[in-house]
């Protein structure tokens, strides 16, 4: 079988640790969909970290399952990448004056290696976003403050870190900085979370479409559930119901 399939596990929900916050509207939609479908469609991507499992991708799935009363969760265990990239956010309604009016962050037009993000507007050079507070908590507060300036209900389009996008009139492109794995572990250890949707992990051989029954996640022994999961995977493999794609995939959410 494909080696990535061996990385699927059913584990206790409370073993997972989050480094990133959630979007309330997205969480509500996902919770309703999971409840209606009765399955966890895709595994949460996790990496072992100080006795726990750090969530790399799937914070909304984690929270949705917790709110639905599940004590277990389907995960794919991977190695922690050496570098954590930052997404770019393209949106409308953000302006330089709004940025400069925040008391939680500082704005500079000069190059700043310590900048948490860059914001680019049509026809203008980037504005660098800096924390006003000291240390880790000052950085986290500044990042939350930046997202707090996004207009309510605005559509935010995520752009790949290397994507070359030029904002049009009335648009802003927010380029979030990359993080080291050590910085994420520091965030978790401090009991903090980064804003939603700013970290980007590249996961080779990501497993999708498992459709694990929700009823088996409400309670039970994780080891027994994992044994049953392995049998499910083996059966689907033998029935030729597993596809392996090397080419890029475009996914509608």
């Amino acid at each position: 079988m494909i080696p990535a399939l061996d990385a699927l596990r059913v584990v206790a929900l409370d073993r997972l640790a989050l480094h990133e916050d959630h979007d309330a509207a997205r969480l509500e939609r996902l919770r309703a969909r999971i409840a209606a479908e009765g399955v966890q469609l895709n595994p949460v991507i996790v990496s072992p970290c100080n006795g726990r499992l750090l969530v790399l991708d799937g914070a909304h799935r984690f929270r949705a399952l917790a709110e639905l009363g599940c004590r277990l969760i389907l995960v794919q265990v991977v190695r922690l990448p050496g570098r954590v990239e930052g997404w770019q956010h393209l949106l409308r309604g953000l302006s330089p004056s709004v940025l400069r009016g925040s008391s939680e962050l500082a704005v500079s037009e000069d190059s700043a290696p310590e900048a948490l993000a860059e914001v680019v507007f049509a026809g203008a050079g980037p504005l660098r976003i800096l924390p006003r507070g000291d240390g880790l908590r000052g950085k986290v507060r500044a990042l939350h403050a930046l997202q707090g300036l996004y207009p309510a209900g605005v559509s935010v389009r995520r752009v790949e870190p290397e994507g070359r996008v030029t904002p049009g009139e009335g648009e802003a492109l927010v380029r979030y900085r990359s993080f080291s794995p050590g910085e994420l572990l520091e965030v978790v250890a401090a009991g903090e979370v980064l804003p939603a949707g700013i970290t980007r992990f590249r996961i080779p051989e990501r497993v999708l479409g498992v459709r694990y029954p929700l009823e088996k996640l409400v309670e039970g022994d994780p080891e027994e559930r994992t044994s049953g999961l392995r049998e499910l995977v083996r059966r689907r493999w033998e029935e030729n119901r597993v596809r392996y794609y090397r080419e890029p995939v475009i996914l509608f959410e």
Side-chain angles (χ1 to χ4, degrees):
M1 284 197 301
I2 301 167
L5 297 178
D6 290 332
L8 296 177
R9 304 277 191 281
V10 176
V11 301
L13 200 81
D14 58 13
R15 288 190 59 196
L16 274 59
L18 295 175
H19 75 276
E20 202 172 75
D21 208 346
H22 67 282
D23 175 83
R26 183 179 177 189
L27 175 59
E28 183 177 352
R29 292 193 302 269
L30 180 60
R31 183 178 62 243
R33 191 183 78 191
I34 292 176
E37 295 179 349
V39 297
Q40 181 185 341
L41 179 62
N42 300 320
V44 171
I45 308 297
V46 300
S47 182
C49 166
N50 298 330
R52 301 187 71 187
L53 295 170
L54 179 65
V55 175
L56 307 187
D57 183 77
H60 289 84
R61 273 164 279 167
F62 168 87
R63 293 182 184 275
L65 289 168
E67 292 184 6
L68 289 170
C70 294
R71 298 176 61 187
L72 306 175
I73 189 167
L74 171 66
V75 300
Q76 180 182 353
V77 184
V78 303
R79 294 180 61 184
L80 187 63
R83 181 169 174 264
V84 184
E85 296 175 288
W87 281 104
Q88 301 182 82
H89 289 181
L90 184 66
L91 66 151
R92 303 187 68 85
L94 190 62
S95 68
S97 60
V98 169
L99 292 176
R100 296 183 188 280
S102 173
S103 61
E104 293 287 346
L105 51 84
V107 178
S108 173
E109 296 181 6
D110 300 325
S111 178
E114 69 275 22
L116 301 172
E118 292 183 347
V119 185
V120 181
F121 298 95
L127 297 178
R128 279 83 181 190
I129 305 301
L130 305 167
R132 289 192 184 275
D134 296 328
L136 173 69
R137 285 188 167 85
K139 294 177 181 178
V140 173
R141 281 198 301 269
L143 286 167
H144 279 282
L146 174 57
Q147 280 208 4
L149 298 177
Y150 289 12
V154 69
S155 176
V156 178
R157 184 181 300 277
R158 291 189 194 181
V159 180
E160 286 284 350
E162 72 279 6
R164 297 184 178 182
V165 175
T166 302
E169 191 65 34
E171 291 182 327
L173 180 67
V174 183
R175 299 172 178 155
Y176 286 96
R177 55 159 284 192
S178 61
F179 295 85
S180 70
E183 288 176 309
L184 293 191
L185 299 183
E186 186 182 357
V187 168
V188 173
E192 300 280 354
V193 287
L194 298 174
I198 72 171
T199 54
R200 167 73 163 97
F201 294 88
R202 297 187 186 274
I203 309 298
E205 297 188 340
R206 183 189 296 256
V207 179
L208 300 172
V210 177
R211 300 187 66 83
Y212 192 76
L214 201 61
E215 61 188 31
K216 294 185 178 181
L217 296 175
V218 175
E219 58 183 19
D221 178 71
E223 292 299 325
E224 291 181 3
R225 292 291 191 236
T226 297
S227 295
L229 171 65
R230 293 191 186 285
E231 176 59 25
L232 172 68
V233 170
R234 185 194 63 79
R235 190 166 60 250
R236 290 187 181 176
W237 176 264
E238 291 179 350
E239 294 171 352
N240 197 28
R241 294 172 61 192
V242 178
R243 297 287 183 268
Y244 183 85
Y245 296 97
R246 288 186 177 274
E247 65 270 26
V249 174
I250 298 174
L251 178 66
F252 284 77
E253 293 186 339

